[in-house]
Amino acid sequence: MKKIGLYILMMVYYFSISAQTIYSYSVDLVNVKDKKVKVELLPPAINKDTVVFCFPAVVPGTYEKYDFGRFIQELKVLPKSNTNVLMKRIDENCYKIYPAQNIDKITYYVTDTWHTSIKEKIVFEPAGTNILPDSVFVINNHGFFGYFRGYDKMPFNIHYTKPINFYPATAINTFTIGQNSDDLFYTDYHQLVDFPVIYSFPDTTSIKIHNAQVLISCYSPNKLLNSQYIASILRDLLFALSNFFEGKLPVDKYAFLFYFTDKGTLSGASGALEHNQSSLYVLPEIDSVFIAQTIKDVAAHEFLHILTPLNIHSEEIEYFDFNNPKMSQHLWLYEGTTEYHAHYLQAREGLISPDYFLSNMLQKIRNADDFNDTMSFTKMSKNVLDPYYHKNYNNVYEKGALIGMCLRYIVTQGK
Ligand SMILES: [Zn+2]
């Protein structure tokens, strides 16, 4: 009933702003050929002659240029009847369209970044797209949906046609769920990118931690893990996190979206990407007891990102430009202090022993030796999209965490 109520509110909003001021997307998850998903867009009214339609080059939380437009195929702009429209691709991500008033519809196919033959600039899987028909779809919305430059603050409705009983695991609560189709609604492009979805047969568990309803969703192809088990190991961590946040969690709704893979990843890495109310994990499908501490370490890290960069950040992050991003000088803060506190809070709350905590920090001291020790962290952060500096990016999880430890020591000594 609650969901229906929300949806009615949403629909009232939808119709009160009129259909012409909304991006109306349709996605077909049923008729999928060659791991390509067909997407159609009925665009909002555009009052300019020329408009630029883009997929992101970079998305928040990743410090690498992925150029998601590379994974879009057969993009077509269809004109309204008895009119013409011209389209020209201007770079890997963007298309110039003229005259914009004549656009009836845009159609294209989304391909799979997890299994692509494009071997340059491989997308870290938690930020990418995975298309396994009849099994699972990992939908990072920036990989599926574009926006018109200058029109990123308009609402989006995404209509999915889906295999029967597939469920969209996500933190967004403005949606309606049917047997064969769903509609998900977002206030603007920034919110759309902030709420990824994993579509599959549902394996979800919901737990209440103080003020917050927490959804745990699990896709484990060989059923080595399930959402109930993950909820049981995250429960203590979430109570520890709420102690850290002085008695409550900083959001009222949060979703942990877990994808366990029984194959290696194209990037060779596993891990997760943070969002304001969710985090998406790609981890190896191995023995559930063996991976339990890794799940806690990564989940603590991603959840703590709510503090920084999601809330405490520089102006470059505040006004994120998906196609011309400016990087800030603060990766030592965004990633380093987050990584340190993910371990520190578990030790402080008794989830891990002091010895185990110290062995983790010792390992970081050793791992930091693999990187350029004289490179300035602020300079590396500012220039992280440049391959010369990006080679040292992973040091934010090693020396960056140690910087966090030193800062905490200085602050607590000062008290
Ligand atoms: Zn991080």
Side-chain angles (χ1 to χ4, degrees):
M1 285 303 288
K2 204 175 172 188
K3 272 179 203 163
I4 293 166
L6 278 168
Y7 188 65
I8 289 169
L9 278 177
M10 181 192 105
M11 292 306 286
V12 168
Y13 178 57
Y14 175 109
F15 287 115
S16 68
I17 57 175
S18 107
Q20 290 194 327
T21 57
I22 191 167
Y23 287 77
S24 185
Y25 270 107
S26 300
V27 186
D28 185 350
L29 299 180
V30 176
N31 301 300
V32 180
K33 277 192 198 138
D34 303 327
K35 295 171 78 63
K36 291 180 193 174
V37 171
K38 186 164 189 194
V39 175
E40 288 189 5
L41 166 64
L42 295 175
I46 292 166
N47 53 7
K48 274 163 91 178
D49 283 342
T50 302
V51 74
V52 177
F53 182 68
C54 290
F55 296 88
V58 178
V59 291
T62 66
Y63 302 99
E64 206 162 349
K65 200 164 174 278
Y66 287 138
D67 293 322
F68 287 94
R70 294 182 299 152
F71 304 99
I72 302 301
Q73 294 182 357
E74 298 177 54
L75 187 137
K76 291 181 188 144
V77 183
L78 306 176
K80 290 174 182 163
S81 57
N82 300 320
T83 68
N84 287 312
V85 69
L86 298 173
M87 184 262 289
K88 185 174 182 250
R89 191 171 185 169
I90 51 176
D91 62 25
E92 286 191 298
N93 303 302
C94 296
Y95 301 79
K96 191 181 270 188
I97 303 172
Y98 171 87
Q101 296 89 334
N102 289 356
I103 305 170
D104 179 42
K105 192 192 274 189
I106 294 177
T107 68
Y108 55 87
Y109 287 88
V110 175
T111 66
D112 178 333
T113 69
W114 285 25
H115 305 99
T116 179
S117 57
I118 302 171
K119 295 293 187 280
E120 300 84 39
K121 298 185 283 188
I122 293 169
V123 178
F124 179 45
E125 281 74 9
T129 59
N130 178 27
I131 297 165
L132 290 178
D134 303 319
S135 295
V136 64
F137 297 87
V138 175
I139 301 178
N140 269 300
N141 289 315
H142 50 257
F144 269 70
F145 309 109
Y147 69 102
F148 295 102
R149 294 218 77 162
Y151 294 82
D152 54 328
K153 298 284 168 56
M154 298 171 102
F156 284 68
N157 188 75
I158 316 287
H159 177 79
Y160 287 99
T161 308
K162 63 176 183 177
I164 288 175
N165 292 333
F166 261 41
Y167 181 78
T170 179
I172 200 85
N173 56 11
T174 44
F175 59 77
T176 178
I177 303 293
Q179 201 179 29
N180 300 300
S181 67
D182 304 325
D183 282 90
L184 282 71
F185 182 83
Y186 305 85
T187 52
D188 61 24
Y189 193 70
H190 299 264
Q191 191 188 51
L192 178 69
V193 171
D194 197 33
F195 284 79
V197 183
I198 296 184
Y199 252 106
S200 65
F201 290 110
D203 173 6
T204 58
T205 297
S206 184
I207 53 175
K208 182 97 176 160
I209 307 290
H210 295 306
N211 56 307
Q213 200 66 46
V214 178
L215 175 80
I216 292 116
S217 159
C218 175
Y219 175 80
S220 173
N222 304 297
K223 311 289 177 219
L224 289 191
L225 293 110
N226 61 63
S227 63
Q228 234 175 340
Y229 172 74
I230 299 170
S232 74
I233 60 172
L234 287 185
R235 183 184 295 272
D236 286 351
L237 175 71
L238 286 161
F239 278 111
L241 278 160
S242 62
N243 288 343
F244 196 70
F245 285 103
E246 300 184 335
K248 59 183 277 208
L249 292 178
V251 288
D252 290 335
K253 182 165 184 185
Y254 195 86
F256 290 94
L257 308 175
F258 283 93
Y259 187 110
F260 293 94
T261 175
D262 56 356
K263 301 176 178 68
T265 58
L266 195 60
S267 72
S270 62
L273 182 61
E274 78 275 12
H275 302 279
N276 275 292
Q277 287 184 250
S278 60
S279 38
L280 196 152
Y281 300 75
V282 180
L283 296 171
E285 190 188 36
I286 53 176
D287 179 78
S288 58
V289 175
F290 190 76
I291 202 169
Q293 186 58 47
T294 301
I295 290 174
K296 281 194 256 189
D297 289 346
V298 186
H301 176 108
E302 302 310 329
F303 195 89
L304 284 169
H305 270 313
I306 294 174
L307 270 180
T308 186
L310 293 168
N311 280 288
I312 302 170
H313 48 227
S314 67
E315 60 190 354
E316 290 91 341
I317 306 292
E318 179 75 27
Y319 305 104
F320 194 86
D321 183 332
F322 294 98
N323 290 84
N324 189 21
K326 308 268 182 299
M327 294 290 118
S328 83
Q329 298 181 57
H330 308 94
L331 280 176
W332 59 270
L333 174 69
Y334 306 152
E335 293 297 339
T337 63
T338 298
E339 173 64 6
Y340 171 68
H341 283 94
H343 295 278
Y344 168 75
L345 95 95
Q346 291 187 74
R348 192 182 87 159
E349 297 296 323
L351 299 182
I352 57 174
S353 69
D355 282 351
Y356 184 75
F357 167 77
L358 289 173
S359 71
N360 278 332
M361 293 304 113
L362 190 61
Q363 192 59 47
K364 289 186 184 301
I365 293 172
R366 293 192 185 116
N367 293 348
D369 284 344
D370 295 341
F371 300 95
N372 180 348
D373 197 39
T374 59
M375 182 177 280
S376 148
F377 257 54
T378 50
K379 202 168 176 185
M380 186 268 282
S381 299
K382 188 79 195 154
N383 297 289
V384 69
L385 297 181
D386 176 336
Y388 171 75
Y389 290 95
H390 194 269
K391 278 188 285 198
N392 282 278
Y393 164 70
N394 275 336
N395 206 13
V396 294
Y397 303 104
E398 314 296 347
K399 190 176 173 182
L402 300 169
I403 292 171
M405 183 161 70
C406 295
L407 286 173
R408 177 147 204 119
Y409 179 77
I410 293 165
V411 169
T412 49
Q413 287 301 297
K415 279 188 178 171

